[in-house]
Amino acid sequence: QVQLVESGGGLVQPGGSLRLSCAASGSIFSINVMGWYRQAPGKQRELVAAISSGGVRNYADSVKGRFTISRDNAKKTVYLQMNSLKPEDTAVYYCNLGIQPYGSNSYSGYWGQGTQVTVSS
């Protein structure tokens, strides 16, 4: 089995910073793409940032220059450093990892449980 555990959400004032973490554990042979998504109330889930196994990063236009995604392959962990936070960044943030479990010959997307980020004064 594969488990993803997120941490780091919370309440922060506009202009503040938060760092999200998502750690994978279990029967994992390989991880390719790691990403962060978010879903605000009444809106569809959207991609925030992603990083490939080779370190190529992609960001939503709304977060470019403010958010940074990184990964630690040894720890099977992906991070999202969020700076200069705005009220419109308020959402539940989910990690999604492309994981190939032991015994499988393909990758599947696994979701974290979600962590609430609220930006408010």
Side-chain angles (χ1 to χ4, degrees):
Q1 289 187 345
V2 173
Q3 288 186 322
L4 303 185
V5 177
E6 298 183 29
S7 60
L11 172 65
V12 64
Q13 292 186 341
S17 298
L18 284 174
R19 188 192 194 209
L20 305 183
S21 299
C22 173
S25 63
S27 182
I28 298 171
F29 177 72
S30 178
I31 303 175
N32 52 15
V33 176
M34 294 178 161
W36 287 96
Y37 291 72
R38 67 185 180 187
Q39 187 166 19
K43 294 188 177 181
Q44 289 188 333
R45 191 172 297 188
E46 63 174 357
L47 176 66
V48 175
I51 182 168
S52 71
S53 56
V56 177
R57 296 170 170 84
N58 288 295
Y59 296 96
D61 288 343
S62 59
V63 307
K64 282 181 181 177
R66 300 188 298 121
F67 291 11
T68 302
I69 189 170
S70 61
R71 62 190 286 168
D72 185 328
N73 292 325
K75 294 182 178 179
K76 299 184 179 66
T77 299
V78 60
Y79 306 96
L80 186 67
Q81 178 66 43
M82 304 185 294
N83 298 329
S84 302
L85 281 161
K86 304 175 181 180
E88 51 263 43
D89 294 317
T90 296
V92 178
Y93 284 70
Y94 300 89
C95 61
N96 181 274
L97 275 58
I99 294 174
Q100 181 183 8
Y102 279 106
S104 173
N105 59 5
S106 63
Y107 288 86
S108 297
Y110 289 79
W111 290 95
Q113 82 278 11
T115 185
Q116 178 70 47
V117 171
T118 302
V119 184
S120 174
S121 55

